Amino acid sequence: RLNLADQRARQYLARQMDRSFLPMFRQAFSSPSRLVHMGLIDQGKLEAAVDQVARVPDHITRVQLFLTLQAELWLRSIEKSYSVRK
């Protein structure tokens, strides 16, 4: 059984995902994904996970999507930094 702090943390994460994260995630992955291009993730499965989280609260999938977005943005920043140095 979850204690009150754990419940509130999950509720906060769910609210933030609904308000801002999912739209930001969809926007980030509307352009070609570096993770997909590298063969690290499957675009169809990624879209299915986003749709699932939008319909059914699932904190594990929410965290996984957050980490996926972080990896994508990290790769893009490296790519941008590298192209600036050339």
Side-chain angles (χ1 to χ4, degrees), residues 14-45:
R15 284 192 309 273
Q16 293 306 311
M17 291 285 285
D18 293 341
R19 288 183 191 155
S20 58
F21 178 75
L22 289 177
M24 180 175 47
F25 189 91
R26 286 189 171 110
Q27 180 182 3
F29 283 90
S30 65
S31 61
S33 166
R34 279 49 168 193
L35 293 169
V36 171
H37 178 74
M38 295 172 73
L40 297 172
I41 60 173
D42 178 88
Q43 183 73 32
K45 289 181 181 179

